[in-house]
Each structure stands twice: as structure tokens, then as C-alpha cells.
Amino acid sequence: MIIWINGGFGAGKTTLAEELHRRLPDAVVYNPEDVGLMLWKWMRPNDDFQDLPSWRELVVATALSLRRHHAETLIVPMSLIRDAYRAEILGGLADAGEEVLHVFLEADAGVLRERVNARVGIPANPGANQSAREWALSRVDPAVAAATRQPAGTLLLRSDRLTPAELADEVLAAAGLSQAHGDGKRMR
């Protein structure tokens, strides 16, 4: 199974992935951002590597390879806010026969902004940190709006109302990997 953790910057994707990995130590955590950084080594960076068709293609190919050769469960924390990109990537995984649990972490815009602003960056490069923070903040409102456009079968969880442990309980229950309880989830 592939557990794709979607949501805006500051929604808690990485934190949830770490909690799931703690509970599923044989799973592989795959961050598609690394694919984008790899591509930028070979070509001039643009505003968002998700705009590169090669990024989207390689994200699917890498996920399939990791799942088939290295892990029964793949945990993928990555924002896919643009509907077309989400459909292309998750559709590509499903078309290849993979079972995908798509999780979208919702949070109020104010909470996301607060979390992004609280992030600790690289002390040696405060200029780059501020630039990255501004970029992430510019994507808060689109991420909040995207929560209403998630496809059927998406597990919507409020990361501003549930703890990482409670979020993990809900994800594992939806994946059929454990029992869970809580009131911060809904299926779209």
C-alpha cells in the first residue's frame, strides 16, 4: 500500500509520516521533494518543480520501484495542491495496480501560517530561509481551498484538532492496519 499524505505547508505531513514510520518500521518514507531537488541539479530551477512533467513522471516511477522492490508499505508526505497534478500522480499509481490511501491534512489558514513562521531554517543562510518561508506562506490559501476539492475516497483529517498520534491512529485504521477512534476525520 502507498499512504500519500497531502496538505498544505505546515499541515503536519512530515510529522505524521514520522509517527507512521515509528509504528511501521518496515515501511519506507519517500519524499518526492528529493526528486525535484535532483532535477534542479540538471536544469535551471523554476518556481515549483511540480510544474516539471519529468518530476511528476519520476515521482510515480520512483514510488512504484520503491514499493515493488523495497517496501510493502510506502509513506509519502507531499503536497499535491493542484488538482491536475494530484490526479496525474495518484492516478498513475492506481493505474499501475497500487493501492493508495490518500490522506489530506486540513488546518485553518492561521494555524498553517503560524507553523510555517515557527519553522527553524538553516542558521547559515537566513536569506534563503526567509525566501522559502515567503514561498510557503504564499501557498497557504490555495492549500486551504484545496481541502474542498479532494476526490472521493480521500481521508480528510484535521491536523489542527488531532495530535500526531491520533492522526496516525486514523490513518492506520483507514488502511486496515489497526483500530482507531476519534472525531477529527471524514471521508470525501
Side-chain angles (χ1 to χ4, degrees):
M1 166 176 280
I2 297 173
I3 301 171
W4 194 287
I5 307 169
N6 196 354
F9 295 104
K13 297 177 303 295
T14 300
T15 301
L16 176 55
E18 290 168 353
E19 178 64 18
L20 289 169
H21 192 235
R22 185 183 69 74
R23 296 180 189 200
L24 301 170
D26 292 337
V28 169
V29 178
Y30 161 48
N31 187 344
E33 184 174 323
D34 294 330
V35 173
L37 296 174
M38 175 189 71
L39 287 170
W40 278 352
K41 288 180 181 182
W42 302 320
M43 61 188 61
R44 179 182 221 161
N46 64 353
D47 184 52
D48 188 346
F49 51 69
Q50 289 193 12
D51 294 333
L52 301 171
S54 56
W55 179 81
R56 298 187 304 274
E57 183 178 310
L58 288 169
V59 164
V60 171
T62 303
L64 293 173
S65 182
L66 287 171
R67 232 297 293 130
R68 288 181 182 149
H69 300 293
H70 303 287
E72 191 170 310
T73 302
L74 194 64
I75 302 167
V76 187
M78 186 71 204
S79 291
L80 292 175
I81 301 306
R82 289 181 190 89
D83 297 346
Y85 296 174
R86 180 195 64 238
E88 180 181 345
I89 290 171
L90 298 183
L93 296 170
D95 289 348
E98 292 294 330
E99 182 181 357
V100 179
L101 173 60
H102 179 227
V103 178
F104 191 93
L105 299 180
E106 292 182 272
D108 290 334
V111 171
L112 295 177
R113 286 186 186 92
E114 185 178 299
R115 290 177 179 175
V116 168
N117 280 319
R119 285 185 179 165
V120 176
I122 303 167
N125 197 344
N129 293 334
Q130 185 59 29
S131 175
R133 186 173 288 114
E134 289 170 6
W135 189 86
L137 288 170
S138 74
R139 281 145 175 82
V140 167
D141 291 333
V144 171
T148 64
R149 300 187 317 268
Q150 296 307 302
T154 298
L155 176 63
L156 296 165
L157 297 172
R158 294 298 307 213
S159 67
D160 54 355
R161 297 184 188 153
L162 297 172
T163 67
E166 291 168 331
L167 292 169
D169 288 344
E170 298 291 353
V171 170
L172 293 173
L177 299 172
S178 79
Q179 296 287 331
H181 44 68
D183 57 13
K185 76 167 183 173
R186 61 190 170 98
M187 295 294 284
R188 177 165 302 281

